[in-house]
Amino acid sequence: MTRATDGPRREQVLVLLDATSAHRGDARLDAYLDALTAGLGDELVIVCRRPDLAHFRALAPTAAIEAGTSALRWRGIRMLWRQLALPRMARRHDVDAVHSPQPPIPLLIARPRVVTLHEVAAFTGRGGPLGAARRAGVRVAARLADEVVAPDAHTAHAIEQACGFPAHEVLVVPPHDDPARFAAAHRVAYRAAAAMVPAATGPIALPSARGPDTPAR
């Protein structure tokens, strides 16, 4: 994954974080979003549902936080909003990248994309139309995103088996036991997506975080 760039516009990458799926029954996703918000703060533009505005404001008092329409409580509306409204929001805030903490990702957007893939069952374990739709969303996200993040090596290998996306190009970021390392690893993903540092196949500042079994470079 090598991306061309005309050079960074700013020293610090500004990332739009889609937090509109927070507090919808997925405790792991909620903890992940909370850790990102607390750890990266002013480096993010956080978009959330109106009931979650105070929650994210308490975690990052000086961050740019914007509440989307109240209709985002419905999953179908969120999916449509990600494709139509999120790209406009990215342009308005002039962000360097967009981070989707789970699929789907925005398709028609002129910004680099980072996606985090948490759930192995979404790749392999669920039958029926819903399972097929989730697997398709994961495949699209893995193939189109500029950087792919996973919580562990097992998930990275599941992504490779399901999508053909090389496991060694997945940025493995374990759960936020070490907040400083958690934040720093995401900065690597954001800067790589924005083509401000080499992508997955090049040297990075945190070599032990890159890939499931990749030795330090």
Side-chain angles (χ1 to χ4, degrees), residues 141-209:
R143 290 170 181 169
L144 295 185
D146 296 277
E147 286 291 316
V148 177
V149 178
D152 51 50
H154 179 58
T155 303
H157 285 299
I159 294 168
E160 182 173 61
Q161 292 170 5
C163 309
F165 186 89
H168 72 273
E169 292 191 4
V170 175
L171 180 65
V172 173
V173 182
H176 41 89
D177 298 329
D178 182 343
R181 181 173 177 80
F182 180 84
H186 282 84
R187 287 190 189 99
V188 170
Y190 296 156
R191 289 175 65 82
M196 295 173 69
V197 298
T201 55
I204 62 171
L206 298 173
S208 61

Side-chain angles (χ1 to χ4, degrees), residues 4-121:
T5 180
D6 295 327
R9 292 173 295 154
R10 50 173 76 90
E11 290 185 5
Q12 180 174 286
V13 177
L14 183 64
V15 176
L16 181 67
L17 176 65
D18 178 5
T20 56
S21 292
H23 306 135
R24 305 299 295 173
D26 187 337
R28 181 168 57 177
L29 177 63
D30 291 342
Y32 181 74
L33 289 169
D34 287 356
L36 283 173
T37 301
L40 294 170
D42 292 346
E43 300 169 53
L44 301 173
V45 175
I46 301 161
V47 187
C48 63
R49 297 181 304 117
R50 293 189 188 282
D52 297 327
L53 188 60
H55 173 83
F56 287 107
R57 179 66 69 202
L59 289 171
T62 60
I65 305 176
E66 187 168 339
T69 172
S70 58
L72 289 174
R73 64 181 179 273
W74 289 301
R75 185 172 183 270
I77 296 296
R78 289 198 304 278
M79 293 180 68
L80 185 62
W81 175 88
R82 288 185 180 112
Q83 303 307 322
L84 300 179
L86 194 64
R88 294 198 299 270
M89 196 170 290
R91 290 194 299 270
R92 185 166 72 249
H93 288 279
D94 191 28
V95 297
D96 298 294
V98 174
H99 184 182
S100 299
Q102 63 178 13
I105 65 173
L107 301 177
L108 302 176
I109 191 167
R111 292 292 189 277
R113 291 164 291 197
V114 177
V115 67
T116 302
L117 301 177
H118 297 276
E119 185 56 63
V120 176

